[in-house]
Amino acid sequence: MRHEHTILFVDDEVNILKALERLMRTEDMNVLHASRASEALELLDKHPTQVVVTDQRMPEMSGVDLLSHVRERHPDIVRMMLTGYTEINVAVDAINRGEIYRLITKPWNDDELRATVRQAFDHADLKAEIKRLNQVTREQNFKLQDMNRNLEDKVRDRTKQLAEKHQQLRTAYVQTIRALAEAVDAKDAYTRGHSERVGVYASKIAREMGFAKDLLERVYIAGLLHDVGKIGIRDSVITKPDRLSLEEYEEIKRHSEIGAKILEPVDFLRDVVPCVRHHHEWYDGSDRGYPERLQGDRIPLPSRIILVADTVEAMTSDRPYRQALSLEVVVSEIHKYSGTQFDPRCAEAFLRLLEREGEAFIKKDQKFDIYAFIQD
Ligand SMILES: [Fe+2]
């Protein structure tokens, strides 16, 4: 086959076949011919062909029947019929049923027939191109779907990994801070677990007051770290069982500022620093508070909460000079200093909690997970 395009003529009259072949000799196409329908179908099975032109009236099988076979077996082939005026109704009917692309009437005009055949090849090429493009589109769609699926899987995996890493980091963060708080408490046998409990009590009071979730974490961390500045105070002063001298008391009072200084360089504790610095201010702004004698709302709210939690924890723990105080004493002390030492809202929130939870509120060794608590 020399040319890219192939046409098959089918006619039982040899003269017509010869005439058609002659007519196409100058055209850029291979020309096949068959004088019977069965021969035509065999040729089509063997040679890739784009256009078939058949006579209608043939002995073995009519042209219309042949073309419907062609349509079934080679749906892409463009089908045309060559017919006399007498069979035109059959041909028109076949066109209407979609069996035939064009009708050529005998006798034909040579130029017209050549033009029609060229059109038929253009039509075949166009159909082939559309088919190819559809195929390409389908393949690309499949590829895209595949890539999308892979991408979604990857994003899901990565998101999960990130969430796990995030949780690990948060846990490590809290564990590190607790270790630091325990190191402070370890300076004095009587204050073991003090910072952790202040963190827990403060978180509960904050939640009772309706704090937002991210603020609860800050209150807990500030509670854990409120006395971190005691690292910078002499052990002999911290553990002194007797009454402190004035100078010793002044030294102890420096712990809130030392704590703030220790935490200041830590970026992710920036919000905690003021809470630590002001956890001994009095609500009424009196000179019993320190270090700045801030008053009322100028004291960070977490600091005011920590002051209540700190006081409650200290009163309900044994000290070298006294046993733990009873809850009645605690309640009356908190009442007594509400409005002077304590912000009344913090004091009330604590008293509500105590009324609800009773002794359980001050139980030592409570299991506490701040992130589970926040989610509750
Ligand atoms: Fe303190």
Side-chain angles (χ1 to χ4, degrees):
M1 294 285 173
R2 291 190 305 121
H3 306 279
E4 193 189 332
H5 289 141
T6 300
I7 188 167
L8 168 64
F9 290 112
V10 190
D11 203 305
D12 57 334
E13 285 179 53
V14 180
N15 287 339
I16 290 190
L17 285 179
K18 278 190 175 152
L20 289 167
E21 216 173 346
R22 229 180 0 258
L23 188 65
M24 294 300 154
R25 195 163 288 160
T26 52
E27 296 295 298
D28 181 21
M29 63 187 71
N30 309 305
V31 179
L32 302 173
H33 54 82
S35 50
R36 280 172 299 133
S38 56
E39 192 190 343
L41 291 171
E42 270 169 40
L43 280 172
L44 293 180
D45 285 342
K46 273 188 221 146
H47 305 287
T49 303
Q50 291 78 41
V51 178
V52 172
V53 181
T54 181
D55 182 26
Q56 160 62 359
R57 198 154 39 167
M58 295 185 294
E60 193 181 84
M61 187 191 284
S62 76
V64 172
D65 288 342
L66 170 62
L67 291 183
S68 62
H69 275 90
V70 172
R71 186 189 190 185
E72 238 168 67
R73 288 154 75 157
H74 308 280
D76 296 333
I77 292 180
V78 178
R79 300 168 302 273
M80 300 205 289
M81 187 175 272
L82 196 58
T83 179
Y85 282 110
T86 48
E87 294 130 352
I88 209 143
N89 287 341
V90 181
V92 167
D93 182 47
I95 288 182
N96 288 340
R97 281 187 288 117
E99 308 283 1
I100 301 178
Y101 165 66
R102 274 296 155 74
L103 179 68
I104 304 155
T105 49
K106 289 190 219 175
W108 63 80
N109 171 297
D110 284 358
D111 290 336
E112 246 174 59
L113 179 54
R114 272 195 291 257
T116 306
V117 167
R118 277 195 293 269
Q119 270 179 25
F121 278 114
D122 287 347
H123 186 67
D125 288 349
L126 200 64
K127 274 169 71 175
E129 183 62 7
I130 289 169
K131 198 173 171 185
R132 193 185 66 80
L133 286 175
N134 276 338
Q135 185 59 30
V136 169
T137 308
R138 233 191 325 271
E139 276 165 19
Q140 283 178 344
N141 270 340
F142 277 132
K143 263 188 215 151
L144 269 175
Q145 280 174 7
D146 229 40
M147 282 163 75
N148 262 340
R149 250 194 305 279
N150 283 340
L151 207 63
E152 279 169 15
D153 285 352
K154 262 194 197 132
V155 169
R156 222 191 333 271
D157 283 356
R158 286 286 150 81
T159 309
K160 203 175 143 215
Q161 282 171 12
L162 270 179
E164 281 167 7
K165 271 275 167 296
H166 181 63
Q167 196 46 48
Q168 282 169 11
L169 275 175
R170 282 169 72 155
T171 306
Y173 164 65
V174 165
Q175 279 169 348
T176 308
I177 287 168
R178 285 174 64 170
L180 191 58
E182 271 168 38
V184 175
D185 294 344
K187 279 169 82 88
D188 181 349
Y190 283 90
T191 54
R192 250 186 91 176
H194 167 72
S195 298
E196 166 70 15
R197 284 191 293 275
V198 170
V200 175
Y201 298 174
S203 311
K204 287 183 175 181
I205 295 169
R207 193 170 72 175
E208 178 70 18
M209 293 173 74
F211 269 46
K213 284 180 176 183
D214 53 329
L215 280 172
L216 287 181
E217 185 190 23
R218 187 188 302 173
V219 170
Y220 176 67
I221 301 294
L224 285 176
L225 292 173
H226 72 285
D227 272 350
V228 74
K230 285 193 174 164
I231 285 175
I233 308 296
R234 284 179 298 151
D235 288 6
S236 58
V237 178
I238 286 174
T239 57
K240 189 177 178 186
D242 318 312
R243 214 177 161 74
L244 295 173
S245 72
L246 206 60
E247 291 93 58
E248 286 165 340
Y249 186 55
E250 285 304 316
E251 186 177 344
I252 278 271
K253 278 166 70 178
R254 287 177 47 226
H255 79 276
S256 43
E257 274 192 303
I258 293 173
K261 283 237 155 54
I262 289 173
L263 302 178
E264 250 160 19
V266 186
D267 247 359
F268 59 81
L269 293 175
R270 193 181 303 128
D271 297 332
V272 170
V273 172
C275 310
V276 169
R277 174 174 284 125
H278 298 294
H279 78 275
H280 283 291
E281 306 283 7
W282 277 45
Y283 188 69
D284 62 4
S286 79
D287 59 4
R288 284 173 293 184
Y290 57 86
E292 289 179 26
R293 288 186 218 163
L294 292 187
Q295 185 183 11
D297 291 349
R298 301 193 57 194
I299 307 164
L301 188 48
S303 307
R304 287 176 256 157
I305 292 172
I306 287 165
L307 183 61
V308 174
D310 190 12
T311 309
V312 169
E313 207 294 321
M315 284 194 288
T316 54
S317 298
D318 292 336
R319 286 290 179 263
Y321 45 88
R322 62 148 172 82
Q323 291 281 295
L325 304 174
S326 71
L327 278 181
E328 289 80 54
V329 178
V330 171
V331 169
S332 83
E333 285 294 298
I334 296 293
H335 264 306
K336 186 173 160 196
Y337 288 97
S338 178
T340 52
Q341 188 177 9
F342 307 123
D343 177 345
R345 283 173 304 157
C346 303
E348 277 156 26
F350 160 71
L351 292 169
R352 277 201 305 277
L353 272 169
L354 196 66
E355 189 144 333
R356 263 208 320 274
E357 294 189 19
E359 292 279 344
F361 185 87
I362 53 151
K363 223 176 113 226
K364 312 284 179 197
D365 295 324
Q366 296 183 36
K367 282 267 168 287
F368 187 82
D369 174 345
I370 180 63
Y371 298 114
F373 177 78
I374 286 172
Q375 292 314 317
D376 261 0

